[in-house]
């Protein structure tokens, strides 16, 4: 350990002289230890993916940083009741969403108003949560940690618990090369864990990358229909243009959730929510920001028959005749669903490196 | 055995650099004191004041965030205070919070100080060092927990107006909301030397000091007139919050 610290000191010394703070090329004898004790993880952007939004050079995932992030993610100490960890609401086998609950359940069984979002491909998102309240992945965990209906804790108190814990001080030191538990290190570790959650091995990805996969006729028809009917919003490889839209869900008086306008204060944003990525959509039910729709059939029926008019309804749903909704036959719907199922990435869902145990 | 490694441990390197940078030659200290005033008089929490909209108001709580401190040398070059040590909450009710000691400043003659009102929302949190400010902001009630953002100013009190004759609460929380509503402002004030023909000098072993006045009345009466009655609860407000931020950007001055 001592040796490692010395080496890190040397790296720091060198990097100060350099103009480039992000990457420093070091040529020196005897620094294998940094590599072997805490190697960098291989974080690479899949060839069919869009550009990263996260600046990985600021927080390059390392083996120890990732492991620490994973431990934090599954640790109930981040909540006031010692039970409700991030992983309690974000369950891997459901693409890190909370399957059994429509809206989220937090400490003391308190029920939130929104459906836990899946966590995957976070490194490619501009903003976070259904209304984009959080601009940075690194600070997003402040929201669940402090929300009364989620973990009901304070960041300061979480840090105190980690400092008093028999294991964390050593784990932080190993991950960051020096003693000390602070908020930045905690958030960086959680980010490292979430950054590595790249889901890019679905049938659809393989098809996009031309990895000798063929779609069935149903799937291919579904893909074309999806492009036509859905891709104006669910655009690109991740099926989201990352904009905020009103897709015509009736307002649920129980929650009266006004969506994006709560963040921007703009009346134009009333009842708009972030266009979600549809990755792993087959298993992330229930659907929509409040989990009101149970199946993909329900979702497609909603798009043809359930859309309600309101001032901010996306214009794409208004037909030339003036009536609203998308035109789809039952057969077309089932083809679209077949296509959506090609977005399921079982490698990701079963990847042991993200698993709690 | 020679090996080449691409070392990406940027944080460690950057943190260490910041520590190194503070080890300047002949480091001096600058004590900044923030004094909240209404026009020319020292603010007293609970006292009544009148704004140009003929509203009588008290201030029961006043806090704001100061960040990103940079000093301008006489030759025009900049002394940038380590950014991650550059976040402060000034709380009217806490005398300690009103004096900020800046250590390790290179000795020399300075003309101006620039600081941020709030937290620059466009900067990446790791880069700007805001993550370690989260506990302080949380403890002082300046963290907007629901959006993982910061309240730049928290101003609360009671008021009466021609229409609201019974004392009623008002509340102003201005912050940033992502990239959409950026209320962060950089503020520059001249440093005032003891007499007009000398320079403002920071020297080794001597604590230079400067009092910065924040005229709270300008929140209501600056370039923009803010009537409390018009909107007694200003929080996520794309119209009024930027007007207030603009008013605040000219509300700071160095005490002569």
């Amino acid at each position: 350990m001592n040796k490692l610290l010395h080496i890190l000191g040397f790296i720091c010394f060198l990097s100060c002289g350099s103009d480039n703070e992000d990457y420093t090329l070091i040529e020196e004898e005897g620094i294998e230890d940094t590599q072997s004790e805490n190697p960098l993880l291989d974080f690479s952007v899949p060839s069919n993916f869009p550009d990263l939004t996260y600046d990985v050079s600021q927080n390059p995932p390392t083996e120890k940083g990732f492991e620490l992030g994973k431990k934090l993610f599954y640790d109930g100490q981040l909540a006031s009741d010692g039970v409700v960890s991030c992983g309690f609401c974000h369950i891997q086998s459901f693409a890190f969403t909370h399957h059994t609950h429509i809206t989220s359940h937090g400490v003391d069984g308190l029920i939130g108003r929104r459906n836990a979002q899946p966590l995957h491909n976070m490194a490619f998102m501009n903003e976070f949560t259904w209304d984009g309240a959080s601009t940075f992945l690194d600070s997003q965990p402040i929201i669940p940690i402090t929300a009364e209906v989620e973990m009901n804790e304070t960041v300061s108190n979480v840090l105190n618990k980690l400092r008093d814990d028999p294991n964390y001080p050593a784990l932080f030191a190993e991950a960051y090369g020096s003693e000390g538990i602070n908020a930045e290190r905690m958030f960086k570790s959680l980010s490292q864990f979430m950054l590595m959650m790249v889901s890019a091995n679905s049938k659809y990805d393989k098809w996009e990358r031309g990895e000798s996969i063929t779609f069935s006729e149903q799937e291919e028809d579904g893909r074309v229909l999806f492009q036509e009917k859905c891709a104006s919003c669910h655009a690109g490889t991740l099926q989201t243009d990352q904009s905020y839209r009103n897709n015509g869900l009736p307002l649920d008086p129980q929650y009266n959730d006004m969506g994006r306008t709560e963040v921007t204060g703009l009346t134009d944003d009333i009842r708009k929510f972030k266009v979600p990525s549809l990755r792993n959509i087959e298993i992330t039910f229930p659907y929509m920001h409040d989990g009101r729709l149970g199946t993909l059939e329900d979702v497609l029926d909603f798009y043809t028959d359930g859309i309600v008019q309101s001032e901010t309804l996306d214009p794409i749903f208004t037909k030339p005749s003036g009536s609203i909704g998308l035109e789809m036959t039952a057969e077309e719907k089932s083809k679209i669903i077949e296509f959506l199922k090609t977005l399921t990435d079982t490698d990701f869902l079963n990847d042991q490196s993200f698993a709690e145990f | 055995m020679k090996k080449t490694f691409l070392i990406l441990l940027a944080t460690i390197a950057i943190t260490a650099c910041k520590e190194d940078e503070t080890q300047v030659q002949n480091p001096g200290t600058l004590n900044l004191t923030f004094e909240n005033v209404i026009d020319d008089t020292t603010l007293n929490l609970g006292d009544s004041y009148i704004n140009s909209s003929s509203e009588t108001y008290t201030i029961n709580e006043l806090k704001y965030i100061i960040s990103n401190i940079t000093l301008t040398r006489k030759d025009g070059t900049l002394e940038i205070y380590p950014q991650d040590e550059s976040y402060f909450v000034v709380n009217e009710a806490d005398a300690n919070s009103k004096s900020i000691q800046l250590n390790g400043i290179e000795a020399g003659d300075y003309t101006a100080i620039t600081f941020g009102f709030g937290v620059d929302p466009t900067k990446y949190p790791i880069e700007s060092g805001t993550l370690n400010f989260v506990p302080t902001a949380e403890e002082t009630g300046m963290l907007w927990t629901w959006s993982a953002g910061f309240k730049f100013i928290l101003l609360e009190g009671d008021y009466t107006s021609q229409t609201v004759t019974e004392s009623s609460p008002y509340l102003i929380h201005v912050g940033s909301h992502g990239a959409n509503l950026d209320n962060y402002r950089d503020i520059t004030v001249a440093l005032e030397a003891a007499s007009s023909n000398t320079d403002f000098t920071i020297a080794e072993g001597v604590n230079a000091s400067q009092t910065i006045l924040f005229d709270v009345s300008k929140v209501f009466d600056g370039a923009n007139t803010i009537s409390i009655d018009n909107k007694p609860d200003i929080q996520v407000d794309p119209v009024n919050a930027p007007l207030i931020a603009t008013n605040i950007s000219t509300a700071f001055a160095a005490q002569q």
Side-chain angles (χ1 to χ4, degrees):
Chain A
M1 194 63 225
N2 246 341
K3 194 178 172 199
L4 174 66
L5 290 180
H6 269 108
I7 293 160
L8 290 172
F10 180 61
I11 295 163
C12 300
F13 171 76
L14 279 185
S15 69
C16 294
S18 142
D19 287 331
N20 187 342
E21 285 190 333
D22 297 337
Y23 297 89
T24 310
L25 195 62
I26 309 279
E27 224 175 300
E28 199 37 53
E29 278 179 45
I31 63 168
E32 295 92 305
D33 288 17
T34 33
Q35 187 85 339
S36 62
E37 285 192 27
N38 190 15
L40 284 171
L41 295 179
D42 176 24
F43 180 87
S44 47
V45 178
S47 63
N48 56 326
F49 266 43
D51 289 342
L52 281 170
T53 52
Y54 191 90
D55 182 356
V56 180
S57 71
Q58 301 264 346
N59 187 23
T62 61
E63 190 179 293
K64 295 278 161 48
F66 173 89
E67 286 303 324
L68 174 57
K70 174 165 148 180
K71 188 173 164 64
L72 291 165
F73 189 87
Y74 288 113
D75 192 341
Q77 288 192 83
L78 270 63
S80 60
D81 66 354
V83 176
V84 177
S85 66
C86 312
F88 178 86
C89 292
H90 297 286
I91 301 169
Q92 183 183 7
S93 49
F94 312 132
F96 295 99
T97 178
H98 205 176
H99 215 179
T100 46
H101 296 288
I102 293 176
T103 57
S104 66
H105 280 215
V107 297
D108 302 328
L110 284 176
I111 297 174
R113 60 184 181 150
R114 291 194 185 151
N115 180 11
Q117 287 167 295
L119 303 180
H120 42 209
N121 307 327
M122 289 291 109
F124 303 89
M125 293 296 141
N126 298 328
E127 287 168 328
F128 302 90
T129 76
W130 282 106
D131 55 14
S134 159
T135 328
F136 297 105
L137 183 62
D138 298 322
S139 43
Q140 192 283 335
I142 293 170
I143 301 175
I145 289 172
T146 57
E148 254 172 71
V149 295
E150 297 188 16
M151 301 165 98
N152 191 26
E153 250 302 355
T154 65
V155 175
S156 318
N157 201 41
V158 168
L159 291 170
N160 288 337
K161 286 193 251 181
L162 299 180
R163 288 180 187 123
D164 291 343
D165 183 274
N167 302 315
Y168 277 111
L171 296 174
F172 273 79
E174 281 172 24
Y176 295 100
S178 64
E179 301 285 324
I181 293 181
N182 61 35
E184 180 170 298
R185 288 177 169 191
M186 176 176 77
F187 290 128
K188 281 171 71 172
S189 308
L190 283 168
S191 288
Q192 287 186 29
F193 181 58
M194 292 190 283
L195 285 175
M196 296 305 291
M197 293 179 181
V198 176
S199 175
N201 242 348
S202 65
K203 187 170 184 182
Y204 171 78
D205 289 298
K206 291 175 189 161
W207 173 85
E208 246 194 350
R209 291 193 293 258
E211 292 171 13
S212 61
I213 277 271
T214 43
F215 278 163
S216 71
E217 204 177 306
Q218 286 266 315
E219 289 165 347
E220 176 57 20
D221 288 353
R223 188 187 67 77
V224 173
L225 286 162
F226 183 86
Q227 281 307 318
E228 194 184 306
K229 315 255 180 210
C230 319
S232 59
C233 302
H234 297 286
T237 294
L238 300 177
Q239 298 85 42
T240 171
D241 63 358
Q242 307 211 35
S243 65
Y244 299 86
R245 312 264 194 153
N246 177 347
N247 72 340
L249 291 168
L251 190 65
D252 182 341
Q254 188 189 347
Y255 303 116
N256 218 23
D257 193 337
M258 290 296 164
R260 180 71 178 156
T261 189
E262 293 178 10
V263 175
T264 63
L266 300 171
T267 46
D268 279 354
D269 285 336
I270 288 175
R271 294 169 66 176
K272 289 188 182 169
F273 291 85
K274 188 171 170 186
V275 175
S277 168
L278 301 180
R279 292 284 170 155
N280 296 303
I281 195 71
E282 182 184 3
I283 45 104
T284 61
F285 57 87
Y287 302 112
M288 305 298 167
H289 66 268
D290 54 8
R292 67 175 75 187
L293 300 177
T295 64
L296 287 174
E297 285 76 14
D298 293 346
V299 170
L300 284 149
D301 291 345
F302 158 75
Y303 277 118
T304 50
D305 301 308
I307 292 181
V308 297
Q309 186 61 266
S310 65
E311 273 177 25
T312 55
L313 177 68
D314 202 274
I316 200 151
F317 296 117
T318 308
K319 299 178 212 175
S321 66
S323 65
I324 51 171
L326 294 177
E327 280 311 344
M328 286 179 284
T329 64
E331 198 193 342
E332 288 176 327
K333 287 180 188 172
S334 68
K335 285 176 173 170
I336 290 176
I337 292 173
E338 284 313 301
F339 166 69
L340 291 176
K341 288 181 180 168
T342 69
L343 296 167
T344 306
D345 177 359
T346 46
D347 289 354
F348 174 73
L349 302 173
N350 297 323
D351 187 338
Q352 269 305 307
S353 60
F354 303 121
E356 183 169 10
F357 304 110
Chain B
M1 205 182 67
K2 227 171 181 193
K3 279 209 166 187
T4 306
F5 289 118
L6 184 65
I7 306 292
L8 286 149
L9 297 167
T11 355
I12 297 165
I14 290 167
T15 319
C17 289
K18 281 176 184 152
E19 276 154 21
D20 282 359
E21 276 164 16
T22 58
Q23 252 125 65
V24 292
Q25 288 191 328
N26 318 319
T29 297
L30 172 61
N31 286 325
L32 282 183
T33 306
F34 282 84
E35 192 183 328
N36 299 317
V37 297
I38 297 282
D39 299 324
D40 296 325
T41 56
T42 303
L43 171 78
N44 277 319
L45 292 178
D47 281 7
S48 289
Y49 303 101
I50 299 175
N51 66 20
S52 75
S53 310
S54 304
E55 295 162 332
T56 304
Y57 64 94
T58 63
I59 292 173
N60 302 338
E61 205 174 354
L62 169 65
K63 297 173 188 165
Y64 48 89
I65 293 175
I66 296 298
S67 67
N68 295 332
I69 295 172
T70 300
L71 297 168
T72 308
R73 293 194 193 87
K74 205 181 169 189
D75 65 8
T77 58
L78 301 177
E79 165 89 1
I80 300 171
Y81 199 69
Q83 207 179 24
D84 55 354
E85 293 165 30
S86 216
Y87 295 96
F88 304 94
V89 175
V90 176
N91 177 359
E92 172 57 26
D94 174 5
N96 284 334
S97 76
K98 289 191 259 181
S99 50
I100 293 172
Q101 193 175 24
L102 304 173
N103 294 316
I105 310 253
E106 194 182 271
D109 293 338
Y110 288 87
T111 56
I113 180 166
T114 301
F115 52 86
F117 161 73
V119 172
D120 186 347
T122 59
K123 288 245 179 73
Y124 204 70
I126 294 175
E127 185 185 2
S128 56
T130 51
L131 292 173
N132 280 332
F133 177 60
V134 167
T136 309
E138 181 178 58
E139 281 154 23
T140 51
M142 299 301 272
L143 188 67
W144 245 329
T145 51
W146 61 272
S147 68
F150 298 95
K151 295 173 205 167
F152 298 172
I153 186 168
L154 179 152
L155 176 62
E156 295 180 16
D158 297 304
Y159 80 106
T160 55
S161 70
Q162 262 141 17
T163 46
V164 178
T165 48
E166 200 126 312
S167 174
S168 308
Y170 73 90
L171 173 157
I172 294 173
H173 296 177
V174 172
S176 276
H177 317 271
N180 289 60
L181 197 52
D182 181 1
N183 295 311
Y184 174 81
R185 296 289 186 277
D186 271 322
I187 291 163
T188 299
V189 298
L191 291 165
E192 295 290 337
S195 71
S196 56
N197 49 10
T198 56
D199 292 312
F200 188 93
T201 305
I202 296 177
E204 187 181 1
V206 187
N207 283 14
S209 57
Q210 176 68 58
T211 296
I212 293 179
L213 305 174
F214 174 49
D215 183 354
V216 191
S217 72
K218 290 222 166 91
V219 169
F220 304 109
D221 295 305
N224 308 299
T225 303
I226 302 292
S227 143
I228 303 175
D229 214 10
N230 184 40
K231 197 145 186 267
D233 182 334
I234 294 177
Q235 298 193 64
V236 182
D237 189 326
V239 177
N240 292 297
L243 297 177
I244 290 174
T246 300
N247 282 357
I248 288 173
S249 67
T250 61
F252 289 90
Q255 188 174 51
Q256 318 247 317

